[in-house]
Amino acid sequence: MISNYTGISGSRVAYFAAAELRQQHKLLIVVSGGRVAERLKEDLAFFAPKARIEVMPEDSARFLYEAKDRQTLINRIRGMQALLDESDEDIAVIAPVSAVLRPVVKAERFKSSILKLELGQVVDTVELKNMLVNAGYENVAVTDSVGEFTSRGGIIDVFTPSYPNPLRIEFFGDEVDSIRQYDKDS
C-alpha cells in the first residue's frame, strides 16, 4: 500500500509515520535528503521506541563508487535487509530520494545471496571463504570492522552488517560446532 502525506512538517511527520508503522509493520519513507532522514529517524524513535529504524545513505553522484567509504554500502545492505525482513517486528526504512532512485539488485537475487549457517551443518570451509571473498568481504588478520573475516584453524570470524558484533563460527572438522557473537574489543 502506498500512502502519500503532504503538507505536514517537523516532528508531525514522525507522528504520522509511527501511526502508519503500527498498522503496516513495514514502512519505506522517502524524504528529500540525508539530513532530513537522520532527523526523522530521531523523531520516529521517540514515537515508535520499539521499532527498528534504518536510514539508507544518500547517493552522491559526485563521487565514484570506489571512493565512497565502506559504511555507505553497509547501510544500503542493512536497509535492503530490513525491507525484506519477514519477522513481525515493526521496521521503518528512511531513504532520501537519491537512494531510492539508485538501482539495486532484485529482491530475489539479494535473498538468494544470503548465506545461512546452522549448528551441525556440514560446510566446505574453503568454499565458505571463497564465497565471503566473492561477496566483498576482506580477509584480514583480525576481524574488527563490518565486511571483514578471519580464518585460523577450525575458526572463522565474520563481521556481517546484520549483527552489531562479529560472529565466531567454530568447526569440528567440516561441521558447524558453534556460532556466537563476540566483543571485538576484548
Side-chain angles (χ1 to χ4, degrees), residues 9 23 26-27 31 68 82 118 126 128 140 142 149 154 162 185:
S9 61
Q23 289 180 351
K26 300 280 184 286
L27 205 56
V31 296
K68 291 183 183 179
E118 298 176 353
V126 172
L128 174 60
V140 295
V142 177
F149 78 96
S162 304
D185 297 325

Side-chain angles (χ1 to χ4, degrees), residues 25 36 57 69 73 85-86 91 100 102 158 170:
H25 303 292
V36 175
D69 77 284
L73 178 60
D85 189 302
E86 295 176 359
I91 298 173
V100 173
R102 187 167 192 267
V158 182
E170 294 184 36

Side-chain angles (χ1 to χ4, degrees), residues 11 13-23 25 27 29 40-54 89-92 94:
S11 59
V13 173
Y15 175 79
F16 283 102
E20 191 78 21
L21 184 59
R22 281 190 292 277
Q23 289 180 351
H25 303 292
L27 205 56
I29 305 169
L40 179 56
K41 178 182 179 180
E42 292 174 13
D43 290 346
L44 185 55
F46 175 79
F47 291 109
K50 294 182 180 179
R52 176 177 162 197
I53 304 169
E54 299 287 345
E89 181 182 18
D90 287 346
I91 298 173
I94 305 169

Side-chain angles (χ1 to χ4, degrees), residues 25-26 60 85-86 98 102 117 144 146 157:
H25 303 292
K26 300 280 184 286
S60 175
D85 189 302
E86 295 176 359
S98 63
R102 187 167 192 267
L117 297 177
D144 61 2
V146 173
D157 294 337

